[in-house]
């Protein structure tokens, strides 16, 4: 069954963010939210009455604070003088600090208390650019305060947003809480939020770098990063020398943010217009150049007044595209993003009006608060996409797991069927092939015509190739089985070399080659049966393809490893073919070689056997220079009880008990059968050799012939297997001595070994001699 995708968010979870966010913003932005921080008021006073006079002259005018010049049809910039009065009924206590706190007071000002200079900002061009309303906290000198009436005179200059908020005068202990809350609300919290938004924007940029086709994602991340940095820097207290540079930075950030907004709108709504985008980029560059020139002339504020309305038109056009797309697609998250961007544009318009002094002087900028809202809305949209992608991924993963399981079962069934077919073909076909070979032999004996004998020789060669292929298929099916055990053990390579030579030397002599095997004293760790199959196939491959005079087999130590090398003088293998030769049924240059090619399974058997053994095989070959197959084996220490016997040393004389004994040999491999027959006759035994079990049984059925002393049979015989043959012979002649030879790696071999002596191929002549000289079992 497919995995069930996780359930979506509950309805109350969908409404949680839209409900909590406005409540949080209202709590932070409403002026009444700071009431808790004012503390208990006893001596502090809020000054709301003031007298105002412009610096260029005129009559003094009484007014109520807060005061905004634009609302009184005055320019939003210039010099002015404010006079305020308050009454003290008691002098400040000793050690008590009195302060003046203003929510909005120009950064460029001069303040006097009862004629005493309290604070004065240097009047420089840089400070004039920076002369806008800001929160103010000034300590009042105790000696300037007096009982009764007190007078505050404030001379100030405004570059923009001219006006004055209410003034608080009183002990620092009473006014500090309200001032800290005001700083937290207007500077610290917006900076934290925008720094978090900047970090999230960087994360989005990292995602976009891996998904460059997500143009809308990259543009929105750049937009949010730029505005977040601008908002975070805006609340900092800047040095006067950097004021002009940062003022230009704020202007450039505004231009670029609206350019990015336009690009995001076109990308998100899939209405990308390259020509329009190039025009917007060109316009932005022109605005930036003019802004830089105006800043150099200290007239950036004038240029900002004229350029910002044009930028607002671009923002409104972008917003119209986004809103239309959001309503077309639907979904509360898309609508939330569109509304958040609408708030951003409206917030930009509101901040422009605040900056130009059209709004009350106590109003604060809202973009530092609204920009994180847009980030949250976009993050919600991304979260929805992520959840949907995860659901699709989980669903596809479940479907893929089902498909893989089904395909794996099919492949396992096909592999099992192939293995059964190979084994059945190699076993069942070898019996009729053997019978056909016997019939061809009889036909050759009776043929008198040389032409007929030549045709029968060719048929015999083709039949031998077919038998070799069947034997290769059987070996391939055995090695390919992963359930067969791999028994790693210490192994004498000299004994393995001698056993290999028993089978390979007749094949090499038949092809006019010398098989040279260098004696060695080394022991390695490997599975003897699998390693024998690897080495036998490598040597057989070298003998079949060598065009030189010899094939060399050697083993050399290299540190904790040993290099087992099989070298031939063949035509070599091209680099492009050095991997192909290990595939089943691959044969190279068949037309250029006159010798027997084989089945094309030898090196495939080598590859599968080495995969199970974990040994590494290297191939070094040059065209026209021959090939070297190098097998890397782990070395083992030579056992102290092992007795070295060089292959050049004279053979030990056979026991006298073997002379005259009758032995029936059943082996379907012709060269091996011939070599064993010669070896047994050399020991003085009377040998009758058979290629299959049926031939032996027919011979034993003749009552005139005495039964043999020994029967040595191969386990993998065609037709009737060797262990079945020995079972029948043991029941018929209990005194008959029986032995089994096997090159199989089947798991049930141990059961056969418990019933009869077992010679594992390859075996040395000494091992065969020891078996035949062994006393009978009880």
């Amino acid at each position: 069954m497919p995995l069930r995708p996780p359930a979506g968010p509950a309805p109350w979870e969908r409404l949680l963010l839209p409900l909590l966010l406005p409540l949080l913003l209202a709590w932070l932005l409403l002026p009444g939210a700071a009431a808790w921080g004012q503390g208990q008021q006893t001596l502090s006073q809020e000054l709301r009455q003031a007298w105002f006079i412009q610096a260029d002259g005129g009559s003094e005018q009484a007014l109520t604070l807060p005061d905004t010049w634009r609302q009184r049809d005055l320019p939003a910039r210039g010099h002015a003088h404010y006079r305020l009065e308050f009454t003290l009924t008691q002098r400040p206590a000793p050690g008590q600090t009195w302060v003046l706190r203003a929510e909005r007071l120009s950064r460029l000002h001069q303040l006097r208390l009862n004629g005493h200079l309290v604070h004065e900002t240097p009047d420089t061009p840089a400070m004039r650019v920076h002369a806008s309303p800001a929160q103010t906290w000034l300590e009042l000198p105790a000696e300037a305060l007096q009982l009764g009436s007190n007078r505050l005179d404030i001379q100030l200059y405004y570059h923009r947003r001219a006006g004055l908020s209410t003034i608080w005068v009183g002990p620092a202990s009473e006014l500090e809480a309200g001032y800290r809350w005001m700083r937290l609300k207007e500077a610290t919290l917006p900076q934290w939020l925008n720094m978090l938004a900047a970090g999230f924007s960087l994360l989005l940029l990292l995602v976009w770098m891996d998904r460059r086709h997500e143009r809308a994602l990259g543009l929105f991340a750049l937009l949010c990063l730029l505005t977040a940095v601008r908002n975070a820097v805006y609340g900092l207290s800047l040095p006067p020398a950097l004021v002009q540079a940062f003022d230009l930075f704020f202007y450039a950030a505004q231009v670029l943010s609206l350019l990015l907004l336009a690009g995001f709108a076109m990308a998100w709504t899939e209405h990308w217009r390259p020509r329009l985008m190039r025009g917007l980029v060109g316009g932005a560059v022109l605005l930036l150049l003019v802004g830089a020139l105006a800043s150099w002339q200290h007239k950036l504020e004038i240029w900002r007044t004229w350029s910002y309305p044009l930028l607002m038109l671009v923002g409104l056009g972008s917003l119209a595209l986004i809103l239309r797309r959001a309503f077309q697609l639907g979904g509360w998250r898309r609508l939330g993003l569109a509304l958040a961007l609408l708030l951003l544009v409206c917030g930009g318009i509101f901040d422009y009006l605040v900056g130009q002094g059209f709004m009350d002087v106590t109003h604060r900028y809202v973009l530092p608060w609204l920009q994180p809202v847009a980030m949250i809305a976009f993050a919600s949209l991304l979260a929805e996409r992520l959840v949907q992608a995860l659901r699709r991924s989980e669903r596809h993963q479940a479907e893929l797991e089902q498909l893989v399981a089904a395909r794996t079962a099919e492949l396992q069934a096909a592999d099992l069927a192939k293995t059964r077919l190979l084994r059945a073909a190699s076993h069942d076909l070898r019996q009729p092939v053997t019978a056909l070979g016997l019939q061809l032999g009889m036909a050759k004996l009776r043929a008198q015509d040389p032409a007929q004998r030549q045709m029968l020789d060719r048929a015999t060669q083709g039949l031998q190739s077919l038998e070799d292929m069947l034997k290769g298929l059987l070996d391939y099916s055995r090695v390919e089985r992963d359930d067969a055990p791999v028994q790693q053990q210490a192994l004498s390579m000299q004994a393995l070399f001698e056993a290999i030579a028993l089978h390979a030397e007749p094949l090499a002599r038949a092809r006019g080659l010398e098989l040279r095997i260098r004696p060695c004293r080394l022991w390695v760790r490997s599975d003897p049966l699998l390693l024998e199959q690897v080495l036998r196939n490598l040597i057989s491959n070298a003998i079949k393809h060598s065009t030189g005079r010899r094939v060399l087999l050697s083993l050399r130590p290299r540190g904790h490893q040993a290099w087992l090398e099989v070298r031939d003088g063949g035509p070599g293998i091209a680099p492009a073919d050095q991997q192909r030769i290990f595939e089943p049924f691959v044969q190279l240059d068949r037309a250029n070689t006159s010798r027997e090619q084989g089945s094309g399974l030898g090196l495939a058997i080598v590859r599968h056997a080495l995969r199970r053994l974990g040994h590494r095989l290297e191939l070094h070959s040059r065209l026209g220079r021959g090939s070297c197959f190098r097998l890397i084996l782990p070395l083992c220490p030579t056992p102290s009880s092992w007795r070295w016997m060089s292959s050049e040393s004279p053979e030990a004389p056979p026991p006298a008990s073997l002379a005259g004994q009758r032995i029936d040999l059943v082996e379907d491999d012709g060269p091996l059968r011939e070599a064993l027959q010669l070896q047994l006759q050399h020991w003085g035994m009377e040998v009758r050799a058979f290629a299959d079990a049926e031939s032996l049984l027919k011979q034993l059925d003749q009552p005139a012939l005495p039964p043999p002393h020994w029967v040595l049979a191969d386990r993998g015989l065609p037709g009737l297997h060797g262990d079945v043959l020995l079972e029948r012979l043991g029941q018929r002649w209990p005194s008959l001595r029986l032995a089994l030879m096997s090159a199989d790696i089947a798991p049930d071999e141990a059961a056969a070994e418990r019933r009869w002596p077992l010679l594992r191929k390859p075996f040395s002549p000494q091992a065969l001699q020891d078996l035949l000289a062994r006393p009978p079992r009880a």
Side-chain angles (χ1 to χ4, degrees):
M1 293 180 60
L3 296 176
R4 180 178 298 178
W12 67 271
E13 294 174 327
R14 296 177 181 271
L15 296 176
L16 183 62
L17 183 62
L19 289 177
L20 289 181
L21 191 58
L23 292 176
L24 177 63
L25 290 177
W27 181 69
L28 290 171
L29 295 177
L30 289 178
W36 69 274
Q38 296 293 351
Q40 184 178 3
Q41 308 297 324
T42 56
L43 298 177
S44 58
Q45 302 179 41
E46 183 180 11
L47 309 183
R48 290 183 172 273
Q49 296 297 320
W51 287 263
F52 170 83
I53 185 172
Q54 284 187 298
D56 55 359
S59 58
E60 192 175 60
Q61 179 183 359
L63 49 82
T64 303
L65 300 179
D67 174 40
T68 304
W69 292 12
R70 285 269 190 189
Q71 294 179 356
R72 295 192 288 118
D73 297 328
L74 295 177
R77 57 188 301 174
H79 291 85
H81 172 264
Y82 283 93
R83 177 172 60 86
L84 299 93
E85 295 182 353
F86 62 96
T87 302
L88 288 183
T89 58
Q90 63 182 34
R91 295 186 62 84
Q96 188 180 48
T97 302
W98 276 56
V99 296
L100 177 145
R101 179 172 73 82
E103 188 175 354
R104 297 289 183 266
L105 178 64
S106 175
R107 292 184 173 90
L108 181 55
H109 64 265
Q110 181 191 81
L111 190 143
R112 292 179 178 272
L113 173 61
N114 296 325
H116 294 272
L117 181 62
V118 175
H119 184 265
E120 183 177 17
T121 307
D123 191 356
T124 62
M127 280 307 303
R128 288 207 170 200
V129 174
H130 203 40
S132 59
Q135 302 173 33
T136 305
W137 175 273
L138 296 175
E139 185 175 342
L140 299 178
E143 62 274 11
L145 292 170
Q146 59 188 17
L147 289 174
S149 179
N150 289 268
R151 174 174 171 170
L152 281 172
D153 291 285
I154 305 175
Q155 299 282 346
L156 45 77
Y157 171 80
Y158 280 104
H159 189 65
R160 57 180 177 271
R161 294 188 63 194
L164 182 65
S165 66
T166 57
I167 302 294
W168 285 85
V169 176
S173 58
E174 295 184 6
L175 299 180
E176 185 177 7
Y179 177 76
R180 290 184 179 277
W181 168 251
M182 184 171 58
R183 289 292 303 172
L184 176 67
K185 183 174 62 173
E186 296 190 8
T188 307
L189 282 180
Q191 287 176 0
W192 289 352
L193 288 176
N194 283 278
M195 289 172 65
L196 290 175
F200 183 70
S201 302
L202 290 175
L203 178 62
L204 292 183
L205 283 177
L206 291 177
V207 175
W208 173 70
M209 290 180 66
D210 287 335
R211 299 179 61 85
R212 292 297 182 89
H213 62 282
E214 296 276 0
R215 182 181 293 170
L217 175 65
L219 290 172
F220 189 85
L222 289 173
L223 170 64
C224 291
L225 179 62
L226 180 62
T227 54
V229 172
R230 180 199 64 189
N231 295 334
V233 173
Y234 191 81
L236 298 178
S237 298
L238 300 174
L242 299 178
V243 168
Q244 187 175 0
F246 272 91
D247 200 40
L248 180 60
F249 164 73
F250 295 142
Y251 168 76
Q254 192 72 19
V255 174
L256 294 178
S257 62
L258 288 169
L259 175 65
L260 292 173
L261 178 63
F264 168 73
M266 286 189 286
W268 191 64
T269 58
E270 300 178 357
H271 286 79
W272 188 259
R273 300 290 185 268
R275 290 185 179 180
L276 177 59
M277 195 62 196
R278 287 195 293 268
L280 291 175
V281 171
V285 172
L286 180 61
L287 289 174
L288 292 174
L289 291 176
V290 176
L293 180 62
S295 176
W296 181 57
Q297 296 291 333
H298 300 287
K299 295 181 180 180
L300 181 58
E301 186 64 28
I302 299 175
W303 173 245
R304 184 187 282 117
T305 304
W306 291 98
S307 60
Y308 274 11
L310 179 62
L311 295 175
M312 292 178 191
L313 291 178
V314 176
L316 290 175
S318 305
L319 180 63
L321 280 177
I322 294 172
L323 286 175
R324 186 179 68 176
R325 181 65 173 175
F327 282 107
Q328 287 176 351
L329 296 178
W332 70 271
R333 288 186 175 87
R334 293 178 179 84
L335 293 177
L337 176 61
L339 292 176
L341 294 176
L342 174 62
L343 286 176
L344 275 180
V345 174
C346 295
I349 297 174
F350 179 82
D351 285 357
Y352 170 77
L353 296 176
V354 170
Q356 295 302 315
F358 291 104
M359 307 299 292
D360 191 280
V361 71
T362 58
H363 281 91
R364 58 187 64 93
Y365 293 114
V366 297
L367 278 181
W369 289 99
L370 294 179
Q371 191 267 343
V373 174
M375 286 293 301
I376 293 174
F378 192 73
S380 176
L381 185 61
L382 286 180
E384 180 188 29
R385 290 180 55 188
L386 177 61
V387 170
Q388 291 177 354
L390 289 176
R391 290 175 181 171
R392 288 194 299 268
S393 175
E394 290 173 352
R395 184 172 63 253
H396 292 164
Q397 181 181 0
E399 296 173 356
L400 181 61
E401 288 177 355
Q402 290 183 340
L403 183 61
V404 168
R407 293 294 183 269
T408 302
E410 293 176 3
L411 290 175
Q412 290 176 346
D415 186 66
L416 181 60
K418 180 198 69 173
T419 302
R420 289 175 177 172
L421 176 63
L422 290 177
R423 299 191 69 188
S426 59
H427 281 94
D428 298 342
L429 291 179
R430 286 171 73 183
Q431 183 173 357
V433 168
T434 303
L436 183 58
L438 294 175
Q439 293 174 5
L440 284 174
M442 295 296 296
K444 287 171 62 178
L445 293 176
R446 296 180 180 180
Q448 302 297 328
D449 187 1
Q452 291 180 354
R453 293 179 64 85
Q454 185 177 9
M455 292 176 59
L456 291 173
D457 288 339
R458 292 178 180 176
T460 303
Q461 292 177 0
L463 185 64
Q464 183 63 40
S465 299
L466 177 59
E467 187 175 355
D468 290 343
M469 177 172 288
L470 292 177
K471 185 175 182 180
L473 288 173
L474 178 60
D475 291 339
Y476 185 75
S477 65
R478 289 169 178 167
V479 175
E480 198 182 25
R481 286 165 44 202
D482 290 333
D483 57 340
V486 176
Q487 299 177 353
Q488 300 276 359
Q489 62 187 50
L491 176 64
S492 169
M493 293 303 295
Q494 180 62 27
L496 180 61
F497 286 176
E498 293 175 358
I500 289 291
L502 183 65
H503 178 274
E505 283 181 345
L507 181 62
R509 286 195 302 269
R511 286 166 173 76
L513 297 174
E514 176 189 2
L515 177 60
R516 180 176 295 180
I517 301 178
R518 291 180 178 174
C520 70
R521 303 170 180 264
L522 301 178
W523 285 56
V524 300
R525 178 168 295 279
S526 185
D527 183 284
L529 295 180
L530 287 174
L531 184 60
E532 178 271 331
Q533 281 193 317
V534 170
L535 190 54
R536 186 180 64 184
N537 281 282
L538 288 177
I539 292 179
S540 175
N541 180 75
I543 291 173
K544 290 177 181 178
H545 295 87
S546 180
T547 56
R549 292 180 298 175
R550 65 176 60 89
V551 173
L552 177 63
L553 172 63
S554 64
L555 184 70
R556 293 179 292 172
R558 287 294 185 272
H560 297 290
Q561 296 176 331
W563 286 6
L564 177 61
E565 294 181 347
V566 178
R567 296 179 178 268
D568 64 63
I573 304 169
D577 297 327
Q578 291 184 8
Q579 294 297 325
R580 292 181 54 241
I581 60 174
F582 292 96
E583 298 295 330
F585 306 107
V586 172
Q587 296 180 1
L588 306 178
D589 257 350
R590 178 185 291 272
N592 296 335
T593 305
S594 60
R595 303 187 184 276
E596 179 185 350
Q597 286 288 323
S599 62
L601 288 171
L603 293 181
I605 294 173
V606 168
R607 185 188 66 173
H608 280 285
L610 291 179
R611 176 180 60 83
R612 299 186 59 203
L613 286 170
H615 301 333
R616 188 171 86 251
L617 178 67
E618 298 176 355
L619 172 58
H620 304 275
S621 182
R622 294 177 61 185
L623 292 177
R625 301 292 297 273
S627 303
C628 173
F629 290 84
R630 179 181 296 158
L631 184 60
I632 312 299
L633 301 173
L635 274 177
C636 287
T638 302
S640 57
S641 60
W642 182 71
R643 180 174 56 90
W644 161 255
M645 180 180 295
S646 174
S647 59
E648 283 84 9
S649 60
E651 182 182 3
S657 59
L658 296 183
Q661 290 198 26
R662 295 184 301 275
I663 183 170
D664 286 348
L665 173 65
V666 190
E667 171 60 60
D668 61 330
D669 186 275
L672 179 58
R673 182 175 65 249
E674 179 184 353
L676 287 173
Q677 184 175 5
L678 292 174
Q679 183 67 62
L680 293 172
Q681 289 175 350
H682 176 69
W683 292 337
M685 302 185 74
E686 298 179 10
V687 184
R688 293 185 303 184
F690 303 92
D692 52 58
E694 288 79 4
S695 300
L696 172 63
L697 293 176
K698 290 179 181 179
Q699 186 74 18
L700 292 177
D701 286 339
Q702 299 180 14
L705 297 177
H709 299 95
W710 276 94
V711 173
L712 179 61
D714 181 36
R715 191 182 190 210
L717 293 173
L720 193 65
H721 286 196
D723 46 2
V724 179
L725 171 64
L726 297 188
E727 180 72 26
R728 293 185 181 180
L729 295 178
Q731 293 176 358
R732 185 171 179 180
W733 293 284
S735 61
L736 197 60
R737 301 187 64 182
L738 307 172
L740 197 63
M741 302 179 294
S742 177
D744 203 353
I745 53 176
D748 59 343
E749 222 176 54
E753 189 173 7
R754 287 193 296 268
R755 303 180 64 185
W756 308 286
L758 180 63
L759 279 175
R760 296 181 182 273
K761 296 180 181 179
F763 50 84
S764 63
Q766 186 63 41
L768 177 60
Q769 186 183 103
D770 293 342
L771 171 66
L772 298 177
R774 188 184 306 172
R777 290 184 180 180

